[in-house]
Amino acid sequence: MEVGPTSKGMLSVAQQRPWTCLQCLLRRQRGQRHLSTTIAGVTRAAFDRLRLRGGSAAPDANHDDRTIRQVFDSRPVWQEFSRKARRRPFGQSSGLFRNRYLKSPDGFGTFAGATLVKCKRLVARILGVSTADGYKTIVKDLDVLSDHLCRVIDPCDFVRASHPDVRYQNAATSAYTTMFEYMNQLNTTTGLHDQLRTAMADPEVVGAWTEEEKITAKILMRDFAKSAIDLPVEAKQRFVGLSNEIQQLGSEFVDRTAPAQQTMILKAGEAQGLEPALVESFQRGGKVFLPVGGAESTMALRTIENADTRRRIYLASRTSRPEQVRRLERLLKRRAEIAKLSGFSSYAHMTLAEKMAGSPESVNRFLDALSRSNQPRVRAETRLFSPGRGLPAPQTAGSVLNAWDKDYYMSKYKMQNTPATARSETLEQFFSLGTVMQGLSRLFSRLYGIRLVPRETSPGETWNDDVRRLDVVDEDEGHMAVLYCDLFERPGKNPNPAHFTLRCSRRIWDDELAEAASQSQGRPDAEEEEKEEGGVTDGMASARNARGELYQLPTVALLCDFSRSNSHGGDRPTLLSFRDVQTLFHEMGHAVHSVLGRTSMQNVSGTRCATDFAELPSVLMEDFAADRDVLSLFARHWHTDASLPYELVAEKVRLNQSFEGLDIQSQIVLAAVDQAYHSALPLQHASFDSTAVYHDVVGRYASSSSPSFVEPRETSWQGQFGHLFGYGATYYSYLFDRAIAGKVWADVFKRSEGGSVSRASGAKFRDEVLRWGGSRDGWTCVAAVLGDDSLADGGEAAMAKVGRWGVASQRTGVDGS
């Protein structure tokens, strides 16, 4: 499931929501290759010619293009390139992310303390405003206040989850908690809300604001409303109590998403078809103790030949503990109660009011339309299970198919129809990690005029020696962003791919520079950087744009878990499966949104937009990953340098899409279940039964297709649907953005005279979508990039229209047309 970060105001910090692929990454041992290139040519940083603060790009773009491949593919080159970061004279450190406070674990507390001083000074200034001129700057000041909070919370959230040193994790957690406690104090500061309301009620003040400021004001006011600041004391106490209970129930629910039965005991003969090595690892005393609910049971459902064994495994893996189901039902009831307390008829109505969908009615219109458009694909795919189509028919009676047979026969079909040339081990020879990163830089250069430049890191700047820093350089604006790429597996590292925003883009205002300069003057302990422009950004990256305006630069961490290729020895680089390539393209789609969504206000920068709009750039990048024109930019054999025969990718994509219609239908059902759970139903019946609702929804969508895989009534899988907490009422978002991305890909990029990598198409997408971040309504962006004014106002009709576009046939990119 992929759902991006939400827009966030001062009082509601956006959760870090890294995307986790639903299909496990294929992990193979690979060798490491030293490219046949002299190290001397790349050891002196090309970036010495790039001015960090407001400079223009280095003139030798070809050098940077070569270097980016080498620093990812050649260990000797990387070791020489990164030697500066390994030297720590006198124990000195530049600080994590070059933040001058984060030179040691103790620095997190110092950073939080210094930030609190700045925040309290800003709060006092805002509360003291009494003139029209003062109110004209109040949105800017509130946005800066919000940014100060996020400057601590965002990197701390990343460090406590991803840093390998427990001392840093603990220190980051402590600073994170300190800032949240302060935010709770602000939640009760009615004066901030009152001052903003006063400003928004004055036409003279509002008339002086930019469009960004007006949108930011609405976001901030909405966030104040979410904190129940207008409710009477008793109702506010109830609101706080419900919020705390929801948080606790949600965390417990996510932590306990496992089947009721943890292990299933099989006789040796019942495991026939399962990988022998897997059987051996779980075999004791002639019996197989198969773990239930994880990758092992998934593999068993795909390979075990005995249908009754598959049935037992399926039922066990889809049945949740009764107490987990009750926990979910309490969570749903509390959400319904807090929505009612806030004046909404359901939690879905409360959540969707700020999204592109606008309402649950619109979401259901989208899902129904999408289901109808998907039916021809579903019928064609299920016919593959009919007699005479090369597979045994997994039918029970009439038009009903056994749910536990679905994965088994799909896997058989793919195995029977996979030519040797489409196997992963063949394709991955053309996708070394370095060439893929090189290809991304070339693609971004052609589309958007930006490129990725390897940059030597300073001592202490990264959390692991394998982290590569790439600076994003625009051909007109110069330095635009910093990307930290942590792409290799290591013990203890979270294996899920993720995009973390460590710092958002925003404009640094002149009064901030003046204040920072005055505070550092006369201080003998002030560092030189504090006295310069870097002082106002804590030492992290900043740059002036073409108009001379100073911006703090977006700083992003990209995490993947690619296997090193050490098992082959020699000079072989890390090679990526095609799924790995798509994953990396997807995550870089989030990154480029963060980079190009440069706004004056941090509340609306980059990916801080509506949840059901945030996945559009990243999903669109998956189309580029499978496109002939794009692959021709970089895909070459790691050893022979031969170009990739496109037919290999075309066959792979066709095979991957063999049952895409069925997969989409499953996602539609889950999105519909999510909507039903967050409707008014939990409060309409004292004995709300989530299992009955689940099966009612599943049955409703199953009855619309024939033949269909029907879920057995005795299952209760909803207790394992962890996304219900993090993405309550918004699970439809990924399907929604896939439909839009498919339309944008077909109408904007593939129909372009210059092909899918034309600058004209890229400029259109950048100008109409990416550059706005969250400062423009999503429907306005979509209408503009597609040239379809009927979408501009959104609503149920627009949602249904997007559903009719469908998504099943949009992800091909295999024929080059």
Side-chain angles (χ1 to χ4, degrees):
M1 175 64 182
E2 306 171 45
V3 180
T6 60
S7 59
K8 72 180 181 69
M10 178 181 59
L11 302 178
S12 60
V13 175
Q15 298 178 18
Q16 296 283 8
R17 290 182 175 177
W19 169 69
T20 303
C21 182
L22 292 174
Q23 302 180 33
C24 295
L25 292 175
L26 299 177
R27 307 167 74 176
R28 299 178 177 86
Q29 292 299 105
R30 305 175 180 119
Q32 181 70 23
R33 173 178 184 256
H34 173 187
L35 295 174
S36 56
T37 307
T38 58
I39 296 177
V42 296
T43 54
R44 297 300 160 260
F47 207 87
D48 286 345
R49 302 184 304 279
L50 179 64
R51 289 185 291 121
L52 282 183
R53 290 189 169 84
S56 58
D60 190 0
N62 290 331
H63 180 102
D64 297 331
D65 183 70
R66 293 191 301 272
T67 303
I68 192 172
R69 177 177 179 179
Q70 293 162 339
V71 298
F72 283 98
D73 274 358
S74 170
R75 179 167 288 277
V77 169
W78 168 244
Q79 289 175 341
E80 179 65 18
F81 187 88
S82 61
R83 62 190 175 87
K84 175 181 175 183
R86 296 193 298 273
R87 292 199 311 266
R88 299 182 181 225
F90 311 109
Q92 292 179 357
S93 167
S94 65
L96 271 174
F97 326 120
R98 293 200 176 183
N99 185 311
R100 69 172 185 270
Y101 290 103
L102 306 184
K103 298 178 180 180
S104 69
D106 292 341
F108 284 88
T110 305
F111 185 31
T115 300
L116 285 175
V117 171
K118 296 177 183 177
C119 289
K120 291 174 180 178
R121 191 163 50 238
L122 265 170
V123 169
R125 180 196 302 173
I126 294 167
L127 294 178
V129 169
S130 60
T131 65
D133 287 341
Y135 282 117
K136 289 176 183 177
T137 65
I138 201 169
V139 174
K140 182 201 74 175
D141 289 340
L142 285 170
D143 186 74
V144 172
L145 176 59
S146 174
D147 182 56
H148 283 324
L149 296 171
C150 295
R151 285 185 182 187
V152 179
I153 290 171
D154 288 348
C156 284
D157 203 25
F158 169 76
V159 168
R160 65 183 187 154
S162 305
H163 200 287
D165 191 330
V166 68
R167 298 173 304 158
Y168 277 84
Q169 294 174 18
N170 292 337
T173 298
S174 179
Y176 183 93
T177 302
T178 297
M179 298 311 295
F180 253 101
E181 289 176 352
Y182 179 66
M183 288 179 63
N184 287 335
Q185 295 177 27
L186 292 182
N187 282 336
T188 63
T189 305
T190 57
L192 295 175
H193 167 262
D194 294 342
Q195 287 288 73
L196 179 59
R197 183 167 55 186
T198 298
M200 294 179 72
D202 188 331
E204 178 187 349
V205 170
V206 175
W209 289 344
T210 64
E211 287 302 311
E212 270 189 32
E213 286 175 303
K214 293 174 184 176
I215 291 173
T216 301
K218 292 178 181 178
I219 291 172
L220 292 170
M221 187 58 75
R222 184 185 67 213
D223 289 333
F224 276 121
K226 284 182 179 178
S227 67
I229 204 163
D230 278 334
L231 292 179
V233 175
E234 185 176 342
K236 185 181 295 186
Q237 291 174 345
R238 173 63 175 157
F239 184 96
V240 172
L242 285 170
S243 297
N244 292 337
E245 186 177 1
I246 288 169
Q247 184 65 36
Q248 181 179 348
L249 285 169
S251 297
E252 292 175 356
F253 176 73
V254 172
D255 290 342
R256 292 165 174 79
T257 51
Q261 183 177 348
Q262 297 296 297
T263 305
M264 174 169 287
I265 302 176
L266 305 177
K267 297 177 183 178
E270 293 177 324
Q272 186 70 33
L274 192 60
E275 176 66 37
L278 195 62
V279 172
E280 184 178 352
S281 65
F282 295 119
Q283 194 167 29
R284 296 194 302 274
K287 296 180 179 179
V288 178
F289 293 78
L290 181 72
V292 176
E296 297 85 2
S297 58
T298 299
M299 180 63 70
L301 287 170
R302 292 175 179 170
T303 58
I304 285 181
E305 295 175 2
N306 185 277
D308 186 64
T309 303
R310 293 198 303 271
R311 180 188 64 81
R312 290 162 50 208
I313 295 172
Y314 185 87
L315 293 178
S317 63
R318 303 280 294 185
T319 302
S320 305
R321 296 180 185 273
E323 60 268 28
Q324 174 74 342
V325 172
R326 290 193 294 269
R327 185 178 291 111
L328 170 62
E329 290 167 355
R330 288 199 302 274
L331 170 64
L332 297 175
K333 286 185 177 181
R334 297 301 177 266
R335 280 181 161 174
E337 289 172 12
I338 205 169
K340 185 176 181 180
L341 186 62
S342 302
F344 293 91
S345 57
S346 72
Y347 184 82
H349 282 92
M350 182 175 74
T351 299
L352 296 172
E354 63 194 60
K355 306 297 189 289
M356 285 181 69
S359 71
E361 291 79 13
S362 291
V363 174
N364 288 322
R365 284 283 302 275
F366 163 71
L367 294 175
D368 288 345
L370 180 59
S371 181
R372 287 192 295 272
S373 70
N374 192 47
Q375 284 310 302
R377 187 76 176 268
V378 170
R379 286 192 291 270
E381 291 169 6
T382 52
R383 279 198 294 270
L384 294 174
F385 299 106
S386 302
R389 299 303 297 267
L391 290 175
Q395 294 179 307
T396 56
S399 60
V400 178
L401 302 174
N402 293 324
W404 51 85
D405 290 334
K406 178 181 175 183
D407 287 347
Y408 177 75
Y409 288 106
M410 285 169 55
S411 178
K412 266 195 170 300
Y413 177 87
K414 289 182 179 181
M415 289 179 62
Q416 292 177 5
N417 290 274
T418 302
T421 54
R423 292 173 184 161
S424 294
E425 58 268 24
T426 301
L427 262 181
E428 68 182 18
Q429 306 298 314
F430 297 88
F431 294 126
S432 75
L433 177 57
T435 59
V436 176
M437 296 301 295
Q438 184 183 58
L440 284 162
S441 182
R442 291 174 176 177
L443 174 63
F444 291 152
S445 177
R446 283 161 174 75
L447 292 178
Y448 308 126
I450 61 175
R451 57 193 174 89
L452 308 178
V453 180
R455 170 74 192 273
E456 289 178 343
T457 55
S458 299
E461 184 177 348
T462 64
W463 54 98
N464 186 275
D465 290 341
D466 269 341
V467 177
R468 274 72 162 163
R469 171 174 168 165
L470 301 177
D471 283 3
V472 183
V473 180
D474 184 274
E475 60 191 25
D476 297 318
E477 297 282 348
H479 193 200
M480 290 280 287
V482 175
L483 306 182
Y484 291 107
C485 299
D486 186 0
L487 304 182
F488 298 104
E489 67 176 358
R490 60 177 175 271
K493 180 182 177 184
N494 190 318
N496 297 323
H499 161 277
F500 287 89
T501 300
L502 303 174
R503 180 160 290 190
C504 282
S505 172
R506 77 165 174 89
R507 184 176 174 183
I508 302 298
W509 306 97
D510 291 342
D511 59 336
E512 293 181 85
L513 287 169
E515 184 175 349
S518 66
Q519 290 175 357
S520 64
Q521 287 179 356
R523 276 180 49 208
D525 63 330
E527 301 178 19
E528 281 303 313
E529 196 167 39
E530 290 185 69
K531 302 175 184 178
E532 301 173 354
E533 290 178 347
V536 78
T537 60
D538 313 310
M540 293 179 68
S542 62
R544 292 191 177 274
N545 63 16
R547 298 181 298 278
E549 299 163 339
L550 182 66
Y551 275 73
Q552 70 181 29
L553 300 186
T555 301
V556 170
L558 291 180
L559 271 63
C560 289
D561 195 49
F562 300 141
S563 299
R564 293 189 178 279
S565 301
N566 295 328
S567 63
H568 296 280
D571 57 358
R572 189 173 184 170
T574 288
L575 304 178
L576 305 184
S577 69
F578 186 64
R579 167 54 62 185
D580 290 339
V581 174
Q582 291 176 309
T583 295
L584 190 53
F585 267 63
H586 179 100
E587 297 304 328
M588 287 298 290
H590 285 306
V592 80
H593 197 186
S594 293
V595 171
L596 297 181
R598 174 186 274 193
T599 56
S600 297
M601 301 283 156
Q602 72 90 26
N603 271 285
V604 292
S605 66
T607 58
R608 293 190 169 171
C609 54
T611 302
D612 50 4
F613 188 63
E615 287 293 332
L616 173 57
S618 54
V619 174
L620 180 65
M621 281 296 293
E622 295 177 33
D623 282 309
F624 284 103
D627 181 68
R628 184 194 300 270
D629 293 341
V630 175
L631 292 172
S632 69
L633 296 176
F634 69 93
R636 310 186 74 82
H637 195 282
W638 72 272
H639 186 64
T640 67
D641 207 40
S643 298
L644 168 70
Y646 187 72
E647 293 72 21
L648 300 185
V649 175
E651 189 60 44
K652 180 70 174 177
V653 174
R654 288 192 188 97
L655 189 66
N656 289 346
Q657 293 177 340
S658 300
F659 299 100
E660 189 180 38
L662 288 170
D663 291 339
I664 289 169
Q665 198 67 17
S666 296
Q667 291 298 306
I668 292 172
V669 169
L670 293 181
V673 168
D674 175 43
Q675 290 300 307
Y677 280 170
H678 291 99
S679 68
L681 283 176
L683 293 183
Q684 288 179 351
H685 305 284
S687 57
F688 170 67
D689 187 344
S690 64
T691 301
V693 172
Y694 172 73
H695 285 287
D696 286 347
V697 174
V698 171
R700 175 162 60 89
Y701 279 94
S703 64
S704 63
S705 60
S706 181
S708 62
F709 292 92
V710 177
E711 182 77 358
R713 297 292 297 187
E714 57 265 46
T715 61
S716 54
W717 183 81
Q718 75 274 15
Q720 301 171 56
F721 192 3
H723 289 303
L724 286 171
F725 178 55
Y727 309 119
T730 61
Y731 192 82
Y732 70 92
S733 298
Y734 181 50
L735 285 172
F736 179 64
D737 283 341
R738 281 190 69 183
I740 296 174
K743 185 70 170 175
V744 171
W745 174 249
D747 290 5
V748 177
F749 289 96
K750 293 306 293 180
R751 293 181 182 175
S752 170
E753 291 183 3
S756 53
V757 296
S758 77
R759 176 62 64 87
S761 298
K764 186 173 186 180
F765 191 67
R766 176 176 180 168
D767 291 344
E768 300 295 357
V769 177
L770 295 175
R771 77 177 183 92
W772 296 93
S775 67
R776 191 189 201 191
D777 177 73
W779 285 113
T780 303
C781 292
V782 172
V785 76
L786 293 176
D788 186 350
D789 292 339
S790 69
L791 298 170
D793 294 329
E796 292 186 33
M799 291 288 290
K801 185 172 186 176
V802 174
R804 289 193 295 273
W805 291 341
V807 298
S809 60
Q810 300 286 1
R811 312 226 56 79
T812 56
V814 297
D815 59 1
S817 61

